[in-house]
């Protein structure tokens, strides 16, 4: 076990934080701003072009110090070093955790089992770039000599959400005359609807699966090959199917020549894999140069996380605030609210990264935890979300810490739109913090006060949020954002004393589905509770 185990609730600081919670809640956020006009500067951090304003949170210097003490007592720095050094910190799967190595240019050696992994990483990146160049220039053509116009990434979870989110996030950088599509769901509609628009002569399939065993991906890949073979011949498959995987044997068994395979390694977790060859579809969609700029941005944040002192460390501060609200204020969920249409899939991507990593109820000694771990992460793009779930953020009974995100530079000419977008984003953070008292409602309603209606117009406020401000959403800043949240998740997992890099919780359902599948056709009898049995029988009787 490369990570030490320490129950955070047994630390000296935990009790102090519990006591401190009683004190901090005596004063509202609004009062804190009124008393300290410098608050927005005191509680802000900048890394490159990203500003984090965390002043609209329930905290003082003392809070921050206590949270930092907690991180220290939980050996955050030592464990952070263990991750970057390639120690076997994914103990339950017996692996290192080295997605950070995938974007490392500034170091010359990172070893796993005594072997420097950087040369193979750079070699694979060069292989991806060369392939992408051949597709873009048309030196690699489809089987009838036509240029590839469409790429279909077939993958699920980490082999889908990351590439899809980044491809959509970098829309202004899309290569002209090439469209990337993403098929993940085993629901046949996903594949059928996508293929309906495509021509097999000009379509390239990227089968993306770390294990090459995932039932959704393998079934979709087989159906895609069948569709292709309705027009092409077996020996044309090589021109239209490539694989991204750690499992060369199964790739070959599927019928893809391993020279058409891009590899990565078992020390890259699925949900942390977009900077590996899993990013091939991104590279095809935006070009090698922009993919490398994405990696560069990720490395900027990696170095910041690795080297900045904890009190000036952006991912650490975000992580500690999450713990502050989850473990001391009882917040069960967090909302991520990018005011950027291109980042509409960012919450869904981070949902997997965060909830698959830290949704654990057993600590590093295998003992059930007595405290809350991973928060439920959700969200959506602004301003659309304002017209759906913001009512609950403002007037619901739950405290939901929010991360707001916007860029100062728009990616279009419609400055008026951008001003309205940003005004809304900033206004929401203010409204959540300030609220609106009954007296203010009366003032605003002037003579027309209807006493029976006034209480419904009150906003209690005092609701916390962070604001992330980018100069511009581009490959580099997007890379920084992704790594920022990756390291937030790591930090929280360390403090919660859990293993963040396994995902055994997804297994049971898969095992049971495998058993139920032959029962649906009556091949084998089942033995289930009455509800499950009845559902199977009703389906069979359809
Ligand atoms: O849902 C579980 C999971 O293992 C994820 O962690 C992973 O991202 C996804 O399935 C896909 O796995 P693979 O890339 O091996 O097909």
């Amino acid at each position: 076990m490369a990570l030490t185990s320490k129950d955070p609730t047994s630390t000296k600081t935990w009790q102090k934080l519990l006591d401190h919670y009683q004190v901090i809640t005596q004063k509202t956020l609004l009062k804190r701003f009124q008393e300290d006009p410098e608050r927005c500067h005191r509680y802000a951090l900048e890394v490159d072009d990203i500003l984090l304003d965390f002043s609209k949170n329930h905290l003082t210097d003392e809070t921050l110090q206590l949270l930092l003490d907690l991180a220290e007592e939980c050996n955050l720095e030592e464990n952070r070093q263990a991750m970057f050094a390639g120690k076997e910190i994914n103990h339950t799967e017996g692996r290192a955790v080295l997605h950070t190595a995938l974007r490392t240019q500034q170091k010359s050696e990172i070893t796993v089992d005594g072997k420097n992994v950087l040369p193979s990483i750079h070699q694979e990146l060069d292989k991806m770039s060369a392939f992408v160049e051949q597709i873009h220039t048309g030196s690699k053509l489809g089987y009838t000599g036509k240029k590839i116009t469409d790429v279909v990434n077939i993958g699920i979870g980490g082999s889908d959400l990351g590439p899809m989110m980044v491809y959509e996030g970098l829309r202004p950088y899309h290569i002209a005359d090439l469209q990337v599509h993403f098929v993940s769901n085993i629901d046949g509609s996903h594949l059928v609807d996508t293929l309906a628009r495509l021509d097999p002569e000009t379509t390239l399939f990227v089968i993306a699966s770390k294990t090459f065993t995932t039932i959704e991906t393998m079934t979709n890949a087989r159906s895609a090959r069948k569709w292709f073979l309705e027009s092409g011949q077996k020996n044309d498959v090589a021109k239209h199917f490539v694989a991204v995987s750690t499992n060369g044997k199964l790739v070959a068994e599927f019928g893809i020549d391993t020279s058409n395979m891009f590899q990565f390694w078992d020390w890259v977790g699925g949900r942390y894999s977009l900077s590996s060859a899993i990013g091939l579809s991104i590279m095809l969609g935006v070009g090698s140069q922009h993919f490398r700029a994405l990696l560069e941005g990720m490395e900027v944040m990696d170095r910041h996380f690795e080297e900045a002192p904890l009190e000036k460390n952006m991912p650490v501060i975000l992580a500690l605030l999450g713990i502050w609200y989850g473990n001391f204020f009882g917040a069960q969920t967090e909302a991520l609210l990018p005011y950027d249409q291109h980042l509409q899939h960012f919450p869904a991507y981070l949902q997997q990264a965060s909830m698959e990593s830290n949704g654990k109820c057993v600590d590093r000694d295998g003992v059930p935890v007595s405290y809350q771990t991973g928060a439920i992460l959700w969200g959506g793009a602004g301003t659309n979300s304002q017209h759906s779930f913001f009512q609950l953020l403002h007037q619901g009974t739950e405290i939901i810490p929010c991360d707001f995100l916007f860029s100062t530079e728009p990616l279009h000419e419609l400055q008026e739109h951008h001003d309205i977008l940003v005004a809304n984003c900033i206004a929401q953070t203010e409204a959540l913090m300030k609220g609106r008292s009954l007296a203010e409602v009366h003032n605003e309603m002037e003579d027309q006060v209807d006493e029976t209606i006034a209480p419904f117009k009150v906003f209690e406020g005092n609701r916390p949020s962070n604001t992330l401000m980018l100069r511009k959403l581009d490959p580099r800043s997007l890379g920084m954002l992704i790594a920022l949240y990756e390291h937030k998740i790591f930090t929280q997992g360390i403090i919660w004393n859990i293993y963040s890099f396994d995902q055994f919780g997804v297994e049971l359902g898969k095992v049971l589905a495998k058993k139920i599948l032959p029962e649906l056709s009556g091949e084998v009898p089942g033995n289930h509770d009455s509800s499950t049995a009845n559902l199977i029988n009703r389906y069979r009787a359809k």
Side-chain angles (χ1 to χ4, degrees), residues 47-51 173 406-411 418 468-474 476-477:
V47 182
D48 221 70
D49 277 343
I50 301 185
L51 166 76
Y173 300 86
F406 71 92
S407 309
T408 51
E409 282 182 29
L411 299 171
H418 199 64
L468 284 157
M469 188 166 119
L470 318 184
R471 185 179 59 77
K472 182 181 170 191
L473 182 66
D474 60 18
R476 185 183 161 93
S477 60

Side-chain angles (χ1 to χ4, degrees), residues 156-159 209-211 214 270-271 352 356 503 506 510:
I156 198 166
S159 302
S209 173
K210 179 176 172 180
T211 54
T214 307
R271 53 196 173 272
Q352 186 203 8
E356 202 168 81
Q503 56 285 316
V506 300
K510 289 188 198 173

Side-chain angles (χ1 to χ4, degrees), residues 29-48:
L29 285 173
L30 182 58
K31 187 101 183 101
R32 292 191 191 284
F33 274 99
Q34 286 164 345
E35 286 177 2
D36 176 10
E38 289 302 300
R39 192 173 166 83
C40 71
H41 303 300
R42 200 183 314 287
Y43 302 119
L45 284 175
E46 248 169 292
V47 182
D48 221 70

Side-chain angles (χ1 to χ4, degrees), residues 32 36 59 63 65 98 131 137 155 181 184 198 211 215 243 251 262 290 321 379 420 430 432 469 495 523-524 534:
R32 292 191 191 284
D36 176 10
L59 65 92
T63 323
Q65 193 50 57
L98 269 182
F131 175 75
T137 57
H181 313 262
S184 51
L198 303 182
T211 54
I215 190 164
V251 169
F262 298 85
H290 294 132
L321 286 168
I420 298 173
E430 189 180 30
L432 285 166
M469 188 166 119
I495 295 174
E523 265 173 65
V524 290
N534 188 44

